[in-house]
Amino acid sequence: MSGAGKTVFISADHGLAIIYFLQSAVVSTLIEKGARVVVLTDDGLVEQIKERFGMPGMIVEGLRFKECQKYAAEVKPSLQYWANFIRRVGTSNRINTEAMDSHIRQVETEAIGTQRLKALLARLLITLMRNSKAARRALVRWQMRFTPAIYADLFEKYKPDLVVSATYGWRNDRYLLREAVQRGIKTGAVIVGWDNPSSYGIPAAPLDFVTCWSEIQKQELVDGSDWDPEKVNIGGIPSYDGYFSKEWLIPRDEYFKMHNLDPRRKLITYASSFITFAPNYLNIEALANLVAQDRLSEPSQLLIRLHPNHFMDEPLYADEGSRVRALARSLPNVHVVEPVALGGDLGYYSGEDMPEKTSMMAYSDVFTTVYSTMCVETAIHERPIVSVCIDTPGGWNKAHKFSLKLSKIGDWPTHQRFRQAGAGRVALNADQLQEHLNTYLSDPSLDAEKRSKFIADEITFTDGSAGTRTADYLFSLL
């Protein structure tokens, strides 16, 4: 095989990327085919990643986040920040830009002092970007000037033939990608998140390829971010292969004992979501009251999954997490599960608790959330879904803190597709929530065909083959 003996750099700078590359068949298949793989990840987790995922043919190195952050903070920091912001939201207006438009409003709302003027100037440039392919391409080329030689020794040591990142450069990976492009190495990205092509604009450098989940994402990349269709591969989503193979599923009796759940009661689950923009507490409180007061058609219990952001150094989010825990302690049949952190800067998106997530979805009689990516994941598990969007008056109610009404986010691209597919129901108040829960408790098979079509449209490959397919594609680039 022509790619045998060649070296691939993989940037896994996020917990979701660890799942995508290492908890699927992507890296192992590349190695089986004869490639050498150098995984670049959080510096503090290098030894842990080696211990857990290490295999012959795989090397682990640090991503040097501190050096990246130092460069971003010391070399024209304001210019870098605003250029990255404009690039993130400056996609073509040929696609649905609702998610990016909300981010623009967030930055404008939270700007203080001279940042307000800069935000206004940025808005003018974004308008130009939205309407001009030439302007978008010019910005990509212009940003190549911010290419520090942070990884020069690694490039010289391993001499990679291919560089692959978990984003097309909206985090610290932008420096790695630019350095690889500058060196003439074939360089590109994979799409690890459902909303990534509609939430992040153009690449950080002139990249050679991207592999995504579906034809839907491909069109977003082509129409919104100017990707050449020939350079966009549809490989599915390797992170979900384990759902189809059921390799992470905990036996039901064991899972219920883990959380002191009653096997005689129906299980309603809630995955916190969207908390950066809006509180989730009223959603959770409405569900808890319905369960605790036995106001559903079947005796039920509630299991609430906190969001990774509930553990951020942000009092608003941490306080909501504390309120949810207190609510669970005060009411019968209400329980809380917390995501597990791998450590380092990867935080609580680590993928450490895939068995927990899998089992929570698989054993839900009805799964609820706020349009989370877990809507797709739960559809794979063939369970009914309700998106709960109960507005909190005033949102987060803090000066210079942007909030969005949950009732107004249905036109975000992924949210819109969930609704249009009929893959689940949407509740805007407690009465609708009670109605939808009772409907699904009475007939869990409702909307099953729509859920099946929804996942086929969104992830393409539903046979657990996305990891090997993606690895085959990456190997072909060698």
Side-chain angles (χ1 to χ4, degrees), residues 96-111:
N96 181 338
T97 62
E98 284 289 327
M100 287 177 277
D101 293 345
S102 295
H103 183 60
I104 294 171
R105 294 197 297 274
Q106 178 185 19
V107 169
E108 291 175 339
T109 299
E110 297 179 357

Side-chain angles (χ1 to χ4, degrees), residues 193-250:
W194 184 33
D195 65 344
N196 290 172
S198 59
S199 296
Y200 300 91
I202 57 178
L207 302 180
D208 298 302
F209 66 89
V210 63
T211 181
C212 63
W213 299 21
S214 63
E215 183 63 39
I216 294 170
Q217 286 193 345
K218 178 175 181 176
Q219 285 307 121
E220 288 177 326
L221 291 164
V222 171
D223 292 341
S225 304
D226 306 316
W227 284 88
D228 178 347
E230 297 299 317
K231 296 182 178 180
V232 182
N233 175 66
I234 299 173
I237 173 62
S239 309
Y240 296 172
D241 285 350
Y243 293 149
F244 293 106
S245 66
K246 302 188 185 303
E247 66 178 273
W248 296 314
L249 190 63
I250 300 170

